Amino acid sequence: MSNSNVFNHSYRNLHIPIDAPLELKPSPGKGWGAFATRPITQGTIVLKETPLFIIHKPHEAITEQDLWTAFQALPPRDKQLFLCIRDNPSTPFASMTGMFAENSFALTRPFGHGLFPLHSRINHSCLPNCKLPDPAEGTTTPGDGAITCFATKDIAYGEEITFCYNTDFECRTRDDRYRELRFACNCKACTLGTPFQLLSDMRRTLIRGLQYLTTGTDLDGQKDSSQTPLIVDPDLKKDAETMSIPLSNRLVYSLLSMALVEQEGLMDEFTVRRMNPAILLLASRFRDKQNAEIAGAAMGREMWTEKFGVAVEMFGRGDVGFEEMLSELGIAIG
């Protein structure tokens, strides 16, 4: 792209909130992207944006007519913005639904999908420095459908701002992620054949397996029935699916999963908000005095790797607490 085309690109006309620490400009190999205009501290709001419009339907049910109707209702300035997004690629989108699919985000309150011109310019990374947290991670969506992007790491001036496009990528290998994205990510975890990428695939596979052991289901919420099961030990797999894994082992698996997320560089306050309540509940259920002491000592450590290192001492130790909890919930064991 020539300098004159960059200078005159219609994205220059996108209105960026005055308090948003970012600018839009070309990102090598990625089209356009968002870059920090000043240092951004972890936990800071990077961008809050209200959608251009919302289609109150599931993604697969949205039609060209739905989008045409929404477009016609826009004021003139927003119509120009819509056309700017539609015609952005070197080869314009073949359909309005294709454009909308690439530039919209799912909403829960109100239900539907919203078109977000600015957030759509933020590129993907499997090792992101920002996040769009969901309600399960301690945030709420306002009634106007606005979404907010937070920094999950300190971001330097001039650094590209990125977030992960899929919520379960922490459990997927590079090849799995590539199939989902339909484009090649060039982050550190995707640089094929490097020591970090190979270790990253191992970590993410282990996280997926550990989640299966603690929930009894795979990422789709279903039991694994593939020819190459995630949990190769049939007895262990059955124990996971029938919630028969001992409480001590469940706590160790949970803490190991969090330690792997931490080592992968994906730990953030929103993940902690989502996962910590269940882990604290597990740690509080022990009736055996020694188990309770170990669990308490583990949860008192600061880093998740340290928590796991303490808790592993109880691996394989029995405790009646978990059975009592299941009985209270009306769940039979075995």
Side-chain angles (χ1 to χ4, degrees):
M1 183 180 291
S2 69
N3 289 336
S4 61
N5 286 339
V6 168
F7 183 78
N8 295 318
H9 197 285
S10 52
Y11 279 168
R12 296 290 187 191
N13 297 320
L14 290 178
H15 173 67
I16 299 175
I18 192 170
D19 59 343
L22 61 87
E23 64 178 340
L24 302 180
K25 62 182 183 180
S27 176
K30 302 179 184 178
W32 280 64
F35 293 81
T37 54
R38 60 177 182 267
I40 305 172
T41 305
Q42 178 181 345
T44 300
I45 292 177
V46 175
L47 178 64
K48 182 176 181 180
E49 183 182 15
T50 301
L52 203 61
F53 58 78
I54 302 172
I55 304 296
H56 300 283
K57 288 184 175 182
H59 171 72
E60 62 276 7
I62 296 174
T63 66
E64 294 277 319
Q65 184 59 51
D66 293 328
L67 297 173
W68 178 251
T69 300
F71 171 76
Q72 292 290 4
L74 293 173
R77 180 182 178 279
D78 287 348
K79 284 183 178 179
Q80 290 300 313
L81 182 54
F82 179 92
L83 294 173
C84 159
I85 300 171
R86 185 196 66 180
D87 297 332
N88 168 57
S90 55
T91 302
F93 288 105
S95 65
M96 291 175 70
T97 52
M99 180 279 294
F100 188 74
E102 295 294 329
N103 294 275
S104 64
F105 292 80
L107 302 171
T108 55
R109 180 174 172 261
F111 168 77
H113 287 75
L115 182 66
F116 293 87
L118 290 176
H119 274 92
S120 298
R121 306 284 68 76
I122 300 177
N123 284 314
H124 165 83
S125 173
C126 302
L127 292 171
N129 53 26
C130 287
K131 192 171 193 176
L132 289 168
D134 60 39
E137 294 175 318
T139 62
T140 57
T141 304
D144 61 2
I147 59 175
T148 304
C149 181
F150 294 83
T152 54
K153 302 175 182 176
D154 290 341
I155 303 173
Y157 165 76
E159 183 178 348
E160 183 165 12
I161 295 167
T162 59
F163 61 79
C164 185
Y165 287 180
N166 291 57
T167 57
D168 65 5
F169 271 15
E170 67 185 26
C171 302
R172 294 191 182 276
T173 62
R174 177 193 179 276
D175 290 346
D176 287 341
R177 301 194 301 271
Y178 180 82
R179 284 189 288 270
E180 290 286 328
L181 290 171
R182 302 185 302 280
F183 62 80
C185 176
N186 63 357
C187 76
K188 187 178 179 182
C190 291
T191 305
L192 191 62
T194 63
F196 185 91
Q197 182 266 316
L198 296 171
L199 186 57
S200 173
D201 273 7
M202 292 174 60
R203 279 194 287 252
R204 296 186 191 224
T205 300
L206 279 170
I207 292 169
R208 184 172 180 175
L210 290 164
Q211 289 191 10
Y212 197 98
L213 291 175
T214 55
T215 65
T217 60
D218 203 358
L219 302 179
D220 58 1
Q222 303 298 315
K223 294 180 180 180
D224 183 7
S225 58
S226 65
Q227 295 297 314
T228 55
L230 192 60
I231 308 300
V232 296
D233 183 328
D235 293 331
L236 183 60
K237 182 173 181 290
K238 181 181 178 181
D239 285 346
E241 294 170 350
T242 57
M243 301 294 285
S244 300
I245 289 179
L247 177 62
S248 54
N249 290 16
R250 291 174 62 82
L251 180 60
V252 171
Y253 293 150
S254 297
L255 294 178
L256 176 55
S257 179
M258 294 291 276
L260 291 168
V261 171
E262 183 176 68
Q263 291 179 351
E264 185 70 0
L266 296 174
M267 185 61 68
D268 56 65
E269 64 177 293
F270 304 107
T271 301
V272 174
R273 288 184 195 176
R274 173 168 51 91
M275 300 298 297
N276 208 36
I279 293 174
L280 287 173
L281 176 62
L282 282 176
S284 70
R285 288 289 181 171
F286 290 100
R287 300 296 181 265
D288 178 87
K289 182 179 179 181
Q290 186 175 4
N291 282 347
E293 289 176 350
I294 295 172
M299 298 311 297
R301 298 300 179 95
E302 182 177 356
M303 304 296 291
W304 290 97
T305 304
E306 296 172 343
K307 295 177 192 289
F308 165 70
V310 173
V312 74
E313 184 180 343
M314 70 168 65
F315 189 79
R317 290 176 55 91
D319 197 291
V320 298
F322 185 54
E323 287 77 3
E324 290 180 353
M325 179 176 67
L326 292 181
S327 178
E328 293 168 5
L329 295 173
I331 301 173
I333 299 174

